[in-house]
Amino acid sequence: MEEAIGRYPADRRRSGAMPLLHLWQEHFGFISDEGVQWIAAKLGLQPINILELVTFYPMFRRERAGKTHIRVCRTLSCAMTGSYQLMENFCAATGIEHRHQNDGIHNPISVSADGNYSIEFVECLASCGTAPICMIGEDLRENVRAESVVELLRNQTSHIKHQTSPHPLEHRLIFKNIGRDDWKVEIDTYLHDGGYEQLRKAVTMSRTEIVNEVKTSGLRGRGGAGFPCGVKWSFIKPDEKKPVYLICNADESEPGTFKDRYIIHEDPHQLLEGILISCFALNARTAYIYIRGEFPEGAKILERAIEEAREHNLLGKNILGSGFDVEVYIHRGAGAYICGEETGLIESLEGKRAYPRIKPPYFPAVLGLYMCPTIVNNVETLCHVKHIIAMGGANYARLGRQNNTGTRIVCVSGDVQQPGYFEIEVGAVTMGQLIYEMAGGLKPGRQLKAVIPGGSSAKVLRADERFKLKQKQPDGSTIEGEISIDEIPMDFDSLTAAGSMAGSGGVIVLDDSRDMVWTLNNINEFYAHESCGQCTPCREGSLWMQKITDRMLRGGGVTEDPKTLKTIGDNIAGRTICAFGEACAWPTQSFVQKFQEEFAKRATKPVPPPLPPEYTPEELIEEEQIPTAPMAHDPGWEKAGAAGTI
């Protein structure tokens, strides 16, 4: 615990709260009142400062779990491949009566009578390409067949499965070493392969030169927003007097996205080299890797990599004789998707609930961690920095297309025959090539129905839509053409022009067997669970949308539901402190608009009277006919149905 506290500035001991909570829970199995008080006293805080973390972050628990704890992923890619059946089979095999999450949204753990097993549904575990997945203890299990749970509980070993050879349409930079038979995560293998040569080169360059190379490369952030990385770096003043911090956002939580897991598990030194080059360029003496709590093995791998690098004088004091000192620390999250938002992540790193900050004034490059200038980049972005130094910014910019340079990793899951990760030149591959050539096409006898192109928060695209995109001609002119979904280039600007976004690169493919109300309900449940609760439109609206689609699925849909869903989405987007509002609203807005006929079929009951007696959701589901009543007066909130009744 002393070592954990020592990773943060002496006057910022509160940052040690989450590491201490992890240590306490690993030792005792849960966070007791005694634990809350002891940690608070240790850090000079009030018990409420610790309790508010325990009740906010889903991975911390107030009750003891079983000796073997099972987490089953319930988000879209896993649900499509059978995770709900997997949960039922686990419960049957362990004698557990599973409580639905609604019985206690923060503590949904069910424990067997003998205390040997416990189980819970969790949100995305970031291995969507090998769905369905679960974690048994700290071990990730992939491609889990529902009928194999008994055998799975007996055999406690696991490993990450990966693709072995790149597809001909791939251009691998970041994933060059992923899946190589002769590759090991140790530093000796990395050094033998030319590792850390770019760091050696970088420390001989001026900081301005490195920032300019990154600017020249045109690298855009690979975390979702697509903001130019060099521009973000240039916000740090060269003569900055305050400490400068770099944070690596390794909190990969967007359903459909699973690239970071492979980089961290199989090539940690590549990430570390990118971080160290970036620290030198920014004059940042301290870097934190904020890693998902669901990546316990990844955190251990990175800790080992940091110690190996220290032994080779690649971090610590006077790295490579350059006179530059830098430390890199691991900070584990605890299951909150909102920590992917950079200011929410900073609040979490400071030992608080991950409530995003208002921008302005809290732009991290000006007022970030501990109110100091801070750069937040995600794992893939920082890895690219190493390759930009190796190739030079101008050569890197020749990959991809204008304003969409370099390579990026796209993750394909859902209804394809060969789900997985693919590193492509940005815009050099179309959606059709990605689905039908690289991911093996749809399952036999199935047709494409829709694609979510950038993680679950991206707006859905229908397979039969036509999209108007401006295309550059060989002579430099641009013409507007109409293209199909198969012809959309996989780059930032084309997907935005098509009405969606490239986002985090998580492509979820839906075939014609999928019920779109069920699909949206699964997504809505994710966002209702993950809202931080700071903004009323998002806190209330995300839960309303989930309740409505939940009721529609169970037969209680009323005629106004599709319209109500859209209205709720419209009233969330643009009205919240951070982009989570858009993330939860966009799926609802697009699904209801694009698949009107499916939502109308689930919304056939007349609207019940607004005055007593009111109908509960259960009554709406159970009653086949809903009696209507004449209106006493115009309710004002909506026009009534035919003949002045509702």
Side-chain angles (χ1 to χ4, degrees):
M1 285 188 165
E2 291 297 341
E3 183 189 340
I5 296 168
R7 296 179 170 190
Y8 308 96
D11 60 340
R12 301 288 182 174
R13 290 169 64 86
R14 185 170 181 168
S15 285
M18 285 177 67
L20 265 56
L21 283 167
H22 276 297
L23 287 165
W24 187 281
Q25 183 162 291
E26 284 161 14
H27 188 80
F28 294 105
F30 69 109
I31 312 291
S32 61
D33 288 343
E34 181 193 4
V36 168
Q37 290 165 2
W38 192 94
I39 292 170
K42 185 79 175 167
L43 297 176
L45 301 171
Q46 295 299 316
I48 189 62
N49 301 136
I50 303 303
L51 185 63
E52 69 172 350
L53 304 184
V54 179
T55 56
F56 182 86
Y57 295 95
M59 289 186 73
F60 297 136
R61 51 182 179 261
R62 299 279 282 148
E63 297 174 11
R64 193 181 299 279
K67 290 176 186 171
T68 299
H69 185 54
I70 305 159
R71 297 181 177 95
V72 179
C73 178
R74 59 143 298 277
T75 36
L76 188 55
S77 299
C78 283
M80 288 165 68
T81 50
S83 63
Y84 280 79
Q85 185 60 52
L86 182 62
M87 170 61 89
E88 286 184 25
N89 289 13
F90 266 125
C91 289
T94 55
I96 291 174
E97 184 181 342
H98 178 242
R99 296 199 308 263
H100 191 264
Q101 212 142 297
N102 288 351
D103 294 340
I105 200 162
H106 182 72
N107 196 37
I109 297 172
S110 305
V111 185
S112 62
D114 58 12
N116 286 330
Y117 293 99
S118 58
I119 195 162
E120 67 177 323
F121 262 140
V122 293
E123 304 304 330
C124 188
L125 289 173
S127 194
C128 319
T130 55
I133 59 172
C134 65
M135 287 181 74
I136 299 181
E138 292 195 346
D139 294 333
L140 182 76
R141 308 301 176 88
E142 303 174 277
N143 295 123
V144 182
R145 291 176 296 110
E147 61 274 16
S148 68
V149 296
V150 176
E151 176 192 340
L152 202 62
L153 291 169
R154 265 196 230 109
N155 177 16
Q156 296 284 337
T157 60
S158 70
H159 67 279
I160 286 194
K161 298 178 176 68
H162 49 64
Q163 296 149 241
T164 50
S165 54
H167 189 277
L169 289 171
E170 284 192 76
H171 185 116
R172 287 197 180 179
L173 289 178
I174 310 292
F175 270 25
K176 177 174 68 99
N177 301 320
I178 307 301
R180 276 175 52 181
D181 291 333
D182 61 340
W183 187 257
K184 293 186 177 131
V185 297
E186 284 78 17
I187 195 169
D188 291 342
T189 306
Y190 188 70
L191 290 169
H192 187 263
D193 201 59
Y196 288 108
E197 287 304 315
Q198 282 68 53
L199 178 61
R200 292 178 192 280
K201 178 181 175 182
V203 296
T204 67
M205 299 166 68
S206 74
R207 295 191 164 92
T208 306
E209 280 179 306
I210 300 173
V211 173
N212 286 341
E213 287 290 349
V214 174
K215 272 188 182 174
T216 304
S217 74
L219 175 66
R220 293 172 67 170
R222 301 300 196 241
F227 191 81
C229 181
V231 174
K232 183 187 271 193
W233 284 14
S234 66
F235 295 154
I236 302 292
K237 295 182 289 192
D239 58 346
E240 180 59 62
K241 301 294 187 292
K242 288 182 179 178
V244 177
Y245 292 98
L246 174 72
I247 301 175
C248 170
N249 182 348
D251 192 68
E252 177 183 65
S253 315
E254 179 81 11
T257 314
F258 48 94
K259 52 193 167 66
D260 292 0
R261 180 185 285 280
Y262 293 95
I263 296 168
I264 290 166
H265 276 253
E266 298 193 38
D267 203 358
H269 283 285
Q270 177 185 201
L271 172 59
L272 204 50
E273 184 172 11
I275 289 170
L276 293 169
I277 294 168
S278 305
C279 283
F280 184 79
L282 298 163
N283 198 25
R285 305 301 173 113
T286 306
Y288 292 102
I289 302 175
Y290 189 105
I291 187 169
R292 291 195 71 183
E294 295 89 341
F295 286 6
E297 184 59 30
K300 290 172 188 169
I301 289 167
L302 282 169
E303 293 275 15
R304 283 197 296 271
I306 288 168
E307 290 313 308
E308 287 177 327
R310 190 187 307 282
E311 287 165 13
H312 286 74
N313 188 225
L314 298 164
L315 63 77
K317 299 283 185 190
N318 187 24
I319 65 168
L320 297 172
S322 65
F324 184 67
D325 304 340
V326 61
E327 290 294 341
V328 181
Y329 300 115
I330 307 298
H331 184 100
R332 286 184 66 202
Y337 168 81
I338 194 64
C339 293
E341 198 279 336
E342 59 182 8
T343 62
L345 183 153
I346 289 169
E347 286 284 298
S348 181
L349 190 47
E350 290 185 359
K352 295 177 272 187
R353 287 187 164 200
Y355 288 157
R357 298 172 176 177
I358 295 172
K359 295 188 285 190
Y362 298 107
F363 290 115
V366 181
L367 295 170
L369 184 64
Y370 311 132
M371 292 294 118
C372 294
T374 305
I375 293 295
V376 184
N377 285 129
N378 88 320
V379 169
E380 187 185 350
T381 309
L382 290 166
C383 288
H384 277 290
V385 171
K386 162 194 161 70
H387 299 285
I388 289 165
I389 298 301
M391 300 168 67
N395 283 332
Y396 181 91
R398 291 191 183 99
L399 296 173
R401 53 172 58 190
Q402 188 177 2
N403 202 37
N404 293 270
T405 60
T407 67
R408 84 166 304 189
I409 301 154
V410 289
C411 310
V412 186
S413 62
D415 294 321
V416 289
Q417 296 201 55
Q418 295 164 19
Y421 49 73
F422 306 97
E423 187 172 0
I424 59 174
E425 283 191 50
V426 184
V429 170
T430 64
M431 182 80 78
Q433 287 175 305
L434 181 67
I435 294 171
Y436 295 104
E437 295 180 44
M438 304 177 83
L442 280 84
K443 290 166 186 176
R446 289 294 173 199
Q447 300 292 315
L448 182 66
K449 184 171 186 176
V451 178
I452 302 171
S456 65
S457 57
K459 290 185 177 180
V460 68
L461 302 176
R462 270 183 79 118
D464 56 2
E465 277 186 270
R466 303 291 294 177
F467 306 94
K468 287 185 178 175
L469 263 65
K470 288 180 179 171
Q471 295 172 305
K472 202 162 191 177
Q473 301 304 299
D475 63 359
S477 63
T478 57
I479 60 166
E480 188 172 80
E482 198 173 74
I483 62 172
S484 69
I485 193 170
D486 291 345
E487 299 167 302
I488 299 174
M490 294 299 294
D491 64 53
F492 293 96
D493 298 337
S494 298
L495 286 164
T496 300
S500 189
M501 65 174 178
S504 57
V507 179
I508 304 173
V509 180
L510 304 161
D511 69 22
D512 57 358
S513 69
R514 296 298 167 193
D515 176 344
M516 291 295 138
V517 181
W518 176 88
T519 304
L520 178 61
N521 181 245
N522 183 282
I523 295 171
N524 283 348
E525 191 167 343
F526 172 79
Y527 289 107
H529 181 268
E530 295 298 331
S531 172
C532 77
Q534 183 175 201
C535 307
T536 304
C538 179
R539 180 185 66 246
E540 302 297 328
S542 60
L543 195 58
W544 293 353
M545 293 190 297
Q546 186 217 317
K547 285 180 175 179
I548 291 171
T549 51
D550 200 36
R551 180 164 52 73
M552 290 174 78
L553 273 183
R554 293 160 60 205
V558 299
T559 52
E560 292 292 308
D561 278 347
K563 189 175 176 184
T564 305
L565 280 169
K566 182 184 180 302
T567 302
I568 296 169
D570 293 347
N571 280 289
I572 300 172
R575 291 169 169 82
T576 55
I577 286 172
C578 81
F580 187 100
E582 283 76 19
C584 74
W586 284 344
T588 292
Q589 290 171 320
S590 60
F591 271 89
V592 172
Q593 179 199 346
K594 301 280 181 76
F595 298 96
Q596 293 176 18
E597 66 288 352
E598 290 195 40
F599 283 84
K601 277 183 191 172
R602 297 273 196 174
T604 56
K605 293 184 177 181
V607 181
L611 300 174
E614 292 178 344
Y615 286 81
T616 65
E618 288 71 29
E619 288 171 316
L620 284 174
I621 292 160
E622 289 160 10
E623 300 289 337
E624 289 194 13
Q625 295 293 322
I626 302 294
T628 59
M631 288 189 299
H633 56 82
D634 182 354
W637 53 269
E638 193 61 80
K639 289 292 180 192
T645 61
I646 43 177

